[in-house]
Amino acid sequence: NVRYGMCHISILFKYLQLFLLTKQKTTIRMIQIIIRIKIREIPMMKKRNINLDIIRSIAVFSVLSVHFFLNNGFYTEIIKGKRMFVMFTMRTAFMICVPLFAILTGYLMNKKILSKTYYLGLVKTYITYLLASVFDILFLSCYTSEHIGIRTFILRILNFSGAGYSWYVEMYIGLFLIIPFLNLIYNGLKDKKQKQLLVATMLFLTTIPSLLNIWGIDGPIKAIFFPTESTRILQIIPDYWQFLWPLTYYYIGCYLKEYGAKLSSGKSLLLFMGFLTIFGFFNFGRNYNNVFFGASYYEWYGFEPLILSVLTFICILNLDTSKITERTILYKCFTKISELSLGIYLVSSVFDTIIYSKLNAYVPSVPGRLEYYVLVVPIVFLLSFITSYILHVIQSTLTRYVQKRYRYISNH
């Protein structure tokens, strides 16, 4: 820190004064040695990468945006008309949410190794989940008048159903536990080519099936492109390992951290908009005049979220943020949202339950609910942010206590 560094600088000045008084060669040599040693000892202040905070902020806002379609009846509505096209395209764009979190994890944790203190990183995550679950259960039990006994209360927390969207915590805990081993694989590879092959292998296992295994093979000719017209879908390659998609995004993050991406922010944005337009028409056409057709290509292991999330990550990563300094409001907003992102994610289910029930009652038509996106999602975000901030104060205190006790027990 600065005070530590200034202390050593003052020592250097004292030796300099000694040199001026004695002008002896031995003093010169002594000063040279001390300067080398002390400068090495002065810790460098690591500058925070605000670009990563922006990515995490976009990811958590996209989560709340995807839930707009989960809670407003979109998935049970017939897909037709301009409004449903816009809604489908928006849903396609916001599916970058969880992939961005996974890429970010690989980008930040690719050097983690096995150690006693490594697993302390889970304490903060689990306490955040625990507090969010308690808030969720208590608040909704009062709101819905549902009686929840102690046994049910404990079981909901243990089986990760306490908070409405706590499946993500389940996934992240599993990923966190194997990260040191994933890093052994990635960092054990000799060169860039081998690491590219690792990423390509993961893509083949998890993502490429969503591109090749989606075409109808019976019925009319149009069944090839419109799966609702076909009773059988052609499977070209194995798709058993698609559930490993978090590892694919993790390794993409590792690769981007080590080698970066030469694509500029402007070109990334143009490509994002181009692909989004293509995917929007593609998805709308394949679902036209039917209810939402569950398909792998626009789920998180699909090629659409993968392309869009990687382009988004590169776009923000290479963005010039030199004007967003620590004193600016934007800097403070992005860093705080980033810090509270998990809590925002988890507690948002409470406000989704309350607000969307009122929205759906007030606006009977699903397409008619589109314009309320600009009102509903920011309100949910703001309420979730405030609640998460309060829970974060409690979580920070508990986390410090648990980590302190763990270190004490480990050292004794």
mmCIF file of all heavy atoms in Angstrom, residues 290-327:
data_model
loop_
_atom_site.group_PDB
_atom_site.id
_atom_site.type_symbol
_atom_site.label_atom_id
_atom_site.label_comp_id
_atom_site.label_asym_id
_atom_site.label_seq_id
_atom_site.Cartn_x
_atom_site.Cartn_y
_atom_site.Cartn_z
ATOM 1 N N ASN A 290 -46.673 -21.500 -33.558
ATOM 2 C CA ASN A 290 -46.686 -22.529 -32.510
ATOM 3 C C ASN A 290 -46.270 -21.879 -31.201
ATOM 4 O O ASN A 290 -45.712 -20.774 -31.188
ATOM 5 C CB ASN A 290 -45.710 -23.662 -32.848
ATOM 6 C CG ASN A 290 -46.181 -24.512 -34.014
ATOM 7 O OD1 ASN A 290 -46.984 -25.422 -33.857
ATOM 8 N ND2 ASN A 290 -45.657 -24.207 -35.203
ATOM 9 N N VAL A 291 -46.494 -22.576 -30.092
ATOM 10 C CA VAL A 291 -45.943 -22.097 -28.834
ATOM 11 C C VAL A 291 -44.443 -22.330 -28.854
ATOM 12 O O VAL A 291 -43.916 -23.070 -29.708
ATOM 13 C CB VAL A 291 -46.585 -22.820 -27.620
ATOM 14 C CG1 VAL A 291 -48.050 -22.474 -27.506
ATOM 15 C CG2 VAL A 291 -46.371 -24.319 -27.701
ATOM 16 N N PHE A 292 -43.737 -21.712 -27.940
ATOM 17 C CA PHE A 292 -42.285 -21.798 -27.870
ATOM 18 C C PHE A 292 -41.820 -23.242 -27.953
ATOM 19 O O PHE A 292 -42.222 -24.094 -27.161
ATOM 20 C CB PHE A 292 -41.805 -21.156 -26.571
ATOM 21 C CG PHE A 292 -40.314 -21.134 -26.402
ATOM 22 C CD1 PHE A 292 -39.567 -20.097 -26.940
ATOM 23 C CD2 PHE A 292 -39.666 -22.130 -25.699
ATOM 24 C CE1 PHE A 292 -38.194 -20.059 -26.775
ATOM 25 C CE2 PHE A 292 -38.308 -22.101 -25.521
ATOM 26 C CZ PHE A 292 -37.558 -21.069 -26.061
ATOM 27 N N PHE A 293 -40.988 -23.522 -28.936
ATOM 28 C CA PHE A 293 -40.496 -24.876 -29.175
ATOM 29 C C PHE A 293 -39.118 -25.021 -28.540
ATOM 30 O O PHE A 293 -38.155 -24.389 -28.958
ATOM 31 C CB PHE A 293 -40.426 -25.139 -30.688
ATOM 32 C CG PHE A 293 -39.888 -26.495 -31.056
ATOM 33 C CD1 PHE A 293 -40.704 -27.613 -31.075
ATOM 34 C CD2 PHE A 293 -38.542 -26.647 -31.384
ATOM 35 C CE1 PHE A 293 -40.208 -28.857 -31.415
ATOM 36 C CE2 PHE A 293 -38.038 -27.892 -31.729
ATOM 37 C CZ PHE A 293 -38.867 -28.998 -31.741
ATOM 38 N N GLY A 294 -39.026 -25.832 -27.487
ATOM 39 C CA GLY A 294 -37.747 -26.015 -26.810
ATOM 40 C C GLY A 294 -36.710 -26.614 -27.753
ATOM 41 O O GLY A 294 -36.919 -27.702 -28.293
ATOM 42 N N ALA A 295 -35.616 -25.920 -27.974
ATOM 43 C CA ALA A 295 -34.575 -26.393 -28.882
ATOM 44 C C ALA A 295 -33.204 -26.093 -28.304
ATOM 45 O O ALA A 295 -33.012 -25.083 -27.622
ATOM 46 C CB ALA A 295 -34.724 -25.732 -30.250
ATOM 47 N N SER A 296 -32.259 -26.978 -28.594
ATOM 48 C CA SER A 296 -30.925 -26.862 -28.003
ATOM 49 C C SER A 296 -30.168 -25.634 -28.469
ATOM 50 O O SER A 296 -29.358 -25.077 -27.727
ATOM 51 C CB SER A 296 -30.105 -28.111 -28.338
ATOM 52 O OG SER A 296 -29.961 -28.247 -29.755
ATOM 53 N N TYR A 297 -30.415 -25.166 -29.687
ATOM 54 C CA TYR A 297 -29.578 -24.114 -30.250
ATOM 55 C C TYR A 297 -29.758 -22.760 -29.579
ATOM 56 O O TYR A 297 -28.900 -21.888 -29.707
ATOM 57 C CB TYR A 297 -29.803 -23.977 -31.764
ATOM 58 C CG TYR A 297 -31.240 -23.932 -32.210
ATOM 59 C CD1 TYR A 297 -31.947 -22.739 -32.264
ATOM 60 C CD2 TYR A 297 -31.892 -25.096 -32.600
ATOM 61 C CE1 TYR A 297 -33.263 -22.703 -32.679
ATOM 62 C CE2 TYR A 297 -33.218 -25.076 -33.026
ATOM 63 C CZ TYR A 297 -33.898 -23.874 -33.062
ATOM 64 O OH TYR A 297 -35.207 -23.842 -33.472
ATOM 65 N N TYR A 298 -30.864 -22.516 -28.878
ATOM 66 C CA TYR A 298 -30.957 -21.254 -28.151
ATOM 67 C C TYR A 298 -30.966 -21.441 -26.640
ATOM 68 O O TYR A 298 -31.325 -20.538 -25.892
ATOM 69 C CB TYR A 298 -32.142 -20.391 -28.600
ATOM 70 C CG TYR A 298 -33.475 -21.075 -28.807
ATOM 71 C CD1 TYR A 298 -34.089 -21.782 -27.799
ATOM 72 C CD2 TYR A 298 -34.125 -20.979 -30.040
ATOM 73 C CE1 TYR A 298 -35.323 -22.380 -27.989
ATOM 74 C CE2 TYR A 298 -35.363 -21.576 -30.244
ATOM 75 C CZ TYR A 298 -35.949 -22.278 -29.216
ATOM 76 O OH TYR A 298 -37.174 -22.880 -29.413
ATOM 77 N N GLU A 299 -30.547 -22.642 -26.197
ATOM 78 C CA GLU A 299 -30.284 -22.834 -24.770
ATOM 79 C C GLU A 299 -28.798 -22.555 -24.516
ATOM 80 O O GLU A 299 -28.034 -22.313 -25.437
ATOM 81 C CB GLU A 299 -30.658 -24.255 -24.344
ATOM 82 C CG GLU A 299 -32.141 -24.572 -24.515
ATOM 83 C CD GLU A 299 -33.060 -23.599 -23.782
ATOM 84 O OE1 GLU A 299 -32.661 -23.130 -22.693
ATOM 85 O OE2 GLU A 299 -34.146 -23.312 -24.282
ATOM 86 N N TRP A 300 -28.366 -22.630 -23.256
ATOM 87 C CA TRP A 300 -27.003 -22.208 -22.936
ATOM 88 C C TRP A 300 -25.938 -23.090 -23.555
ATOM 89 O O TRP A 300 -24.795 -22.667 -23.699
ATOM 90 C CB TRP A 300 -26.826 -22.117 -21.417
ATOM 91 C CG TRP A 300 -27.540 -20.929 -20.855
ATOM 92 C CD1 TRP A 300 -27.508 -19.653 -21.357
ATOM 93 C CD2 TRP A 300 -28.386 -20.887 -19.715
ATOM 94 N NE1 TRP A 300 -28.296 -18.818 -20.589
ATOM 95 C CE2 TRP A 300 -28.851 -19.558 -19.564
ATOM 96 C CE3 TRP A 300 -28.810 -21.838 -18.787
ATOM 97 C CZ2 TRP A 300 -29.697 -19.167 -18.534
ATOM 98 C CZ3 TRP A 300 -29.654 -21.449 -17.768
ATOM 99 C CH2 TRP A 300 -30.098 -20.125 -17.646
ATOM 100 N N TYR A 301 -26.269 -24.314 -23.886
ATOM 101 C CA TYR A 301 -25.301 -25.167 -24.569
ATOM 102 C C TYR A 301 -25.423 -25.043 -26.084
ATOM 103 O O TYR A 301 -24.784 -25.780 -26.836
ATOM 104 C CB TYR A 301 -25.461 -26.631 -24.140
ATOM 105 C CG TYR A 301 -26.885 -27.141 -24.143
ATOM 106 C CD1 TYR A 301 -27.477 -27.595 -25.312
ATOM 107 C CD2 TYR A 301 -27.628 -27.177 -22.973
ATOM 108 C CE1 TYR A 301 -28.779 -28.059 -25.318
ATOM 109 C CE2 TYR A 301 -28.930 -27.642 -22.963
ATOM 110 C CZ TYR A 301 -29.499 -28.089 -24.137
ATOM 111 O OH TYR A 301 -30.799 -28.550 -24.139
ATOM 112 N N GLY A 302 -26.254 -24.120 -26.564
ATOM 113 C CA GLY A 302 -26.469 -23.937 -27.987
ATOM 114 C C GLY A 302 -25.463 -23.002 -28.625
ATOM 115 O O GLY A 302 -24.766 -22.232 -27.958
ATOM 116 N N PHE A 303 -25.418 -23.050 -29.968
ATOM 117 C CA PHE A 303 -24.443 -22.224 -30.682
ATOM 118 C C PHE A 303 -24.813 -20.742 -30.662
ATOM 119 O O PHE A 303 -23.933 -19.877 -30.763
ATOM 120 C CB PHE A 303 -24.271 -22.715 -32.131
ATOM 121 C CG PHE A 303 -25.469 -22.553 -33.021
ATOM 122 C CD1 PHE A 303 -25.674 -21.378 -33.731
ATOM 123 C CD2 PHE A 303 -26.394 -23.577 -33.174
ATOM 124 C CE1 PHE A 303 -26.772 -21.217 -34.565
ATOM 125 C CE2 PHE A 303 -27.494 -23.435 -34.011
ATOM 126 C CZ PHE A 303 -27.680 -22.247 -34.710
ATOM 127 N N GLU A 304 -26.093 -20.422 -30.502
ATOM 128 C CA GLU A 304 -26.489 -19.013 -30.490
ATOM 129 C C GLU A 304 -25.975 -18.271 -29.256
ATOM 130 O O GLU A 304 -25.289 -17.235 -29.388
ATOM 131 C CB GLU A 304 -28.010 -18.896 -30.602
ATOM 132 C CG GLU A 304 -28.553 -19.340 -31.945
ATOM 133 C CD GLU A 304 -30.052 -19.168 -32.055
ATOM 134 O OE1 GLU A 304 -30.685 -18.694 -31.088
ATOM 135 O OE2 GLU A 304 -30.601 -19.515 -33.109
ATOM 136 N N PRO A 305 -26.278 -18.744 -28.029
ATOM 137 C CA PRO A 305 -25.728 -18.046 -26.850
ATOM 138 C C PRO A 305 -24.207 -18.036 -26.825
ATOM 139 O O PRO A 305 -23.603 -17.070 -26.357
ATOM 140 C CB PRO A 305 -26.295 -18.850 -25.667
ATOM 141 C CG PRO A 305 -27.507 -19.518 -26.208
ATOM 142 C CD PRO A 305 -27.186 -19.834 -27.630
ATOM 143 N N LEU A 306 -23.590 -19.094 -27.332
ATOM 144 C CA LEU A 306 -22.131 -19.150 -27.324
ATOM 145 C C LEU A 306 -21.541 -18.037 -28.192
ATOM 146 O O LEU A 306 -20.662 -17.289 -27.756
ATOM 147 C CB LEU A 306 -21.634 -20.511 -27.818
ATOM 148 C CG LEU A 306 -20.103 -20.644 -27.761
ATOM 149 C CD1 LEU A 306 -19.695 -21.924 -27.061
ATOM 150 C CD2 LEU A 306 -19.491 -20.609 -29.155
ATOM 151 N N ILE A 307 -22.023 -17.911 -29.410
ATOM 152 C CA ILE A 307 -21.513 -16.884 -30.320
ATOM 153 C C ILE A 307 -21.769 -15.487 -29.753
ATOM 154 O O ILE A 307 -20.877 -14.630 -29.719
ATOM 155 C CB ILE A 307 -22.156 -17.029 -31.715
ATOM 156 C CG1 ILE A 307 -21.661 -18.311 -32.394
ATOM 157 C CG2 ILE A 307 -21.844 -15.815 -32.590
ATOM 158 C CD1 ILE A 307 -22.365 -18.629 -33.697
ATOM 159 N N LEU A 308 -22.999 -15.253 -29.287
ATOM 160 C CA LEU A 308 -23.359 -13.919 -28.798
ATOM 161 C C LEU A 308 -22.623 -13.557 -27.508
ATOM 162 O O LEU A 308 -22.207 -12.404 -27.320
ATOM 163 C CB LEU A 308 -24.872 -13.835 -28.584
ATOM 164 C CG LEU A 308 -25.739 -13.974 -29.845
ATOM 165 C CD1 LEU A 308 -27.211 -13.930 -29.489
ATOM 166 C CD2 LEU A 308 -25.405 -12.879 -30.863
ATOM 167 N N SER A 309 -22.456 -14.530 -26.615
ATOM 168 C CA SER A 309 -21.785 -14.236 -25.343
ATOM 169 C C SER A 309 -20.289 -13.995 -25.540
ATOM 170 O O SER A 309 -19.708 -13.100 -24.905
ATOM 171 C CB SER A 309 -22.010 -15.369 -24.339
ATOM 172 O OG SER A 309 -21.513 -16.596 -24.831
ATOM 173 N N VAL A 310 -19.648 -14.755 -26.406
ATOM 174 C CA VAL A 310 -18.224 -14.558 -26.668
ATOM 175 C C VAL A 310 -17.995 -13.190 -27.318
ATOM 176 O O VAL A 310 -17.066 -12.462 -26.956
ATOM 177 C CB VAL A 310 -17.655 -15.686 -27.553
ATOM 178 C CG1 VAL A 310 -16.244 -15.348 -28.029
ATOM 179 C CG2 VAL A 310 -17.640 -17.005 -26.789
ATOM 180 N N LEU A 311 -18.849 -12.820 -28.270
ATOM 181 C CA LEU A 311 -18.732 -11.508 -28.911
ATOM 182 C C LEU A 311 -18.952 -10.370 -27.907
ATOM 183 O O LEU A 311 -18.253 -9.356 -27.942
ATOM 184 C CB LEU A 311 -19.727 -11.391 -30.066
ATOM 185 C CG LEU A 311 -19.388 -12.180 -31.334
ATOM 186 C CD1 LEU A 311 -20.545 -12.114 -32.332
ATOM 187 C CD2 LEU A 311 -18.103 -11.661 -31.981
ATOM 188 N N THR A 312 -19.916 -10.552 -27.005
ATOM 189 C CA THR A 312 -20.161 -9.539 -25.972
ATOM 190 C C THR A 312 -18.961 -9.401 -25.057
ATOM 191 O O THR A 312 -18.536 -8.285 -24.720
ATOM 192 C CB THR A 312 -21.409 -9.909 -25.141
ATOM 193 O OG1 THR A 312 -22.540 -10.023 -25.993
ATOM 194 C CG2 THR A 312 -21.685 -8.848 -24.080
ATOM 195 N N PHE A 313 -18.410 -10.535 -24.637
ATOM 196 C CA PHE A 313 -17.252 -10.530 -23.737
ATOM 197 C C PHE A 313 -16.075 -9.808 -24.385
ATOM 198 O O PHE A 313 -15.427 -8.955 -23.761
ATOM 199 C CB PHE A 313 -16.863 -11.968 -23.379
ATOM 200 C CG PHE A 313 -15.923 -12.063 -22.216
ATOM 201 C CD1 PHE A 313 -16.393 -12.230 -20.930
ATOM 202 C CD2 PHE A 313 -14.541 -11.983 -22.404
ATOM 203 C CE1 PHE A 313 -15.528 -12.315 -19.841
ATOM 204 C CE2 PHE A 313 -13.664 -12.059 -21.335
ATOM 205 C CZ PHE A 313 -14.153 -12.228 -20.058
ATOM 206 N N ILE A 314 -15.785 -10.135 -25.641
ATOM 207 C CA ILE A 314 -14.672 -9.512 -26.349
ATOM 208 C C ILE A 314 -14.925 -8.018 -26.549
ATOM 209 O O ILE A 314 -14.020 -7.188 -26.395
ATOM 210 C CB ILE A 314 -14.438 -10.202 -27.707
ATOM 211 C CG1 ILE A 314 -13.963 -11.643 -27.489
ATOM 212 C CG2 ILE A 314 -13.427 -9.428 -28.550
ATOM 213 C CD1 ILE A 314 -13.880 -12.462 -28.760
ATOM 214 N N CYS A 315 -16.161 -7.674 -26.885
ATOM 215 C CA CYS A 315 -16.528 -6.275 -27.115
ATOM 216 C C CYS A 315 -16.255 -5.428 -25.880
ATOM 217 O O CYS A 315 -15.627 -4.365 -25.964
ATOM 218 C CB CYS A 315 -18.001 -6.180 -27.513
ATOM 219 S SG CYS A 315 -18.595 -4.493 -27.742
ATOM 220 N N ILE A 316 -16.691 -5.881 -24.721
ATOM 221 C CA ILE A 316 -16.506 -5.112 -23.486
ATOM 222 C C ILE A 316 -15.065 -5.199 -23.002
ATOM 223 O O ILE A 316 -14.509 -4.222 -22.487
ATOM 224 C CB ILE A 316 -17.469 -5.607 -22.391
ATOM 225 C CG1 ILE A 316 -18.919 -5.559 -22.875
ATOM 226 C CG2 ILE A 316 -17.315 -4.763 -21.122
ATOM 227 C CD1 ILE A 316 -19.381 -4.193 -23.318
ATOM 228 N N LEU A 317 -14.437 -6.355 -23.172
ATOM 229 C CA LEU A 317 -13.060 -6.538 -22.720
ATOM 230 C C LEU A 317 -12.113 -5.575 -23.427
ATOM 231 O O LEU A 317 -11.187 -5.025 -22.811
ATOM 232 C CB LEU A 317 -12.613 -7.983 -22.973
ATOM 233 C CG LEU A 317 -11.251 -8.392 -22.416
ATOM 234 C CD1 LEU A 317 -11.271 -8.358 -20.890
ATOM 235 C CD2 LEU A 317 -10.865 -9.782 -22.911
ATOM 236 N N ASN A 318 -12.336 -5.356 -24.718
ATOM 237 C CA ASN A 318 -11.463 -4.484 -25.510
ATOM 238 C C ASN A 318 -11.955 -3.037 -25.567
ATOM 239 O O ASN A 318 -11.387 -2.213 -26.297
ATOM 240 C CB ASN A 318 -11.325 -5.026 -26.931
ATOM 241 C CG ASN A 318 -10.586 -6.356 -26.961
ATOM 242 O OD1 ASN A 318 -9.809 -6.664 -26.065
ATOM 243 N ND2 ASN A 318 -10.829 -7.158 -27.981
ATOM 244 N N LEU A 319 -12.988 -2.741 -24.801
ATOM 245 C CA LEU A 319 -13.550 -1.392 -24.799
ATOM 246 C C LEU A 319 -12.627 -0.421 -24.072
ATOM 247 O O LEU A 319 -12.067 -0.744 -23.021
ATOM 248 C CB LEU A 319 -14.922 -1.415 -24.116
ATOM 249 C CG LEU A 319 -15.782 -0.155 -24.194
ATOM 250 C CD1 LEU A 319 -16.227 0.099 -25.631
ATOM 251 C CD2 LEU A 319 -17.009 -0.311 -23.290
ATOM 252 N N ASP A 320 -12.470 0.755 -24.624
ATOM 253 C CA ASP A 320 -11.648 1.791 -23.985
ATOM 254 C C ASP A 320 -12.439 2.422 -22.839
ATOM 255 O O ASP A 320 -13.414 3.132 -23.051
ATOM 256 C CB ASP A 320 -11.264 2.856 -25.015
ATOM 257 C CG ASP A 320 -10.400 3.971 -24.400
ATOM 258 O OD1 ASP A 320 -9.893 3.771 -23.274
ATOM 259 O OD2 ASP A 320 -10.253 5.028 -25.050
ATOM 260 N N THR A 321 -12.009 2.141 -21.621
ATOM 261 C CA THR A 321 -12.708 2.649 -20.429
ATOM 262 C C THR A 321 -11.813 3.600 -19.635
ATOM 263 O O THR A 321 -11.997 3.753 -18.425
ATOM 264 C CB THR A 321 -13.154 1.483 -19.527
ATOM 265 O OG1 THR A 321 -11.995 0.691 -19.179
ATOM 266 C CG2 THR A 321 -14.165 0.608 -20.230
ATOM 267 N N SER A 322 -10.851 4.195 -20.309
ATOM 268 C CA SER A 322 -9.895 5.069 -19.618
ATOM 269 C C SER A 322 -10.567 6.272 -18.957
ATOM 270 O O SER A 322 -10.059 6.819 -17.979
ATOM 271 C CB SER A 322 -8.824 5.551 -20.604
ATOM 272 O OG SER A 322 -9.421 6.225 -21.708
ATOM 273 N N LYS A 323 -11.712 6.685 -19.480
ATOM 274 C CA LYS A 323 -12.414 7.841 -18.915
ATOM 275 C C LYS A 323 -13.278 7.478 -17.702
ATOM 276 O O LYS A 323 -13.763 8.353 -17.006
ATOM 277 C CB LYS A 323 -13.276 8.500 -19.989
ATOM 278 C CG LYS A 323 -12.469 9.148 -21.116
ATOM 279 C CD LYS A 323 -13.364 9.859 -22.114
ATOM 280 C CE LYS A 323 -12.538 10.522 -23.206
ATOM 281 N NZ LYS A 323 -13.392 11.221 -24.207
ATOM 282 N N ILE A 324 -13.469 6.181 -17.493
ATOM 283 C CA ILE A 324 -14.246 5.746 -16.315
ATOM 284 C C ILE A 324 -13.270 5.561 -15.163
ATOM 285 O O ILE A 324 -12.807 4.459 -14.868
ATOM 286 C CB ILE A 324 -15.018 4.447 -16.611
ATOM 287 C CG1 ILE A 324 -15.885 4.602 -17.860
ATOM 288 C CG2 ILE A 324 -15.903 4.063 -15.418
ATOM 289 C CD1 ILE A 324 -16.656 3.346 -18.232
ATOM 290 N N THR A 325 -12.922 6.640 -14.513
ATOM 291 C CA THR A 325 -11.968 6.606 -13.407
ATOM 292 C C THR A 325 -12.687 6.315 -12.088
ATOM 293 O O THR A 325 -13.920 6.294 -12.026
ATOM 294 C CB THR A 325 -11.227 7.947 -13.307
ATOM 295 O OG1 THR A 325 -12.180 8.997 -13.037
ATOM 296 C CG2 THR A 325 -10.506 8.260 -14.607
ATOM 297 N N GLU A 326 -11.893 6.111 -11.041
ATOM 298 C CA GLU A 326 -12.449 5.750 -9.741
ATOM 299 C C GLU A 326 -13.369 6.826 -9.171
ATOM 300 O O GLU A 326 -14.198 6.534 -8.307
ATOM 301 C CB GLU A 326 -11.319 5.459 -8.762
ATOM 302 C CG GLU A 326 -10.488 4.247 -9.142
ATOM 303 C CD GLU A 326 -9.397 3.975 -8.128
ATOM 304 O OE1 GLU A 326 -9.401 4.623 -7.059
ATOM 305 O OE2 GLU A 326 -8.543 3.122 -8.390
ATOM 306 N N ARG A 327 -13.215 8.049 -9.624
ATOM 307 C CA ARG A 327 -14.031 9.144 -9.086
ATOM 308 C C ARG A 327 -15.380 9.297 -9.796
ATOM 309 O O ARG A 327 -16.239 10.039 -9.327
ATOM 310 C CB ARG A 327 -13.254 10.455 -9.194
ATOM 311 C CG ARG A 327 -11.991 10.487 -8.326
ATOM 312 C CD ARG A 327 -11.298 11.839 -8.443
ATOM 313 N NE ARG A 327 -10.111 11.913 -7.598
ATOM 314 C CZ ARG A 327 -9.334 12.976 -7.495
ATOM 315 N NH1 ARG A 327 -9.641 14.084 -8.190
ATOM 316 N NH2 ARG A 327 -8.275 12.963 -6.706
#
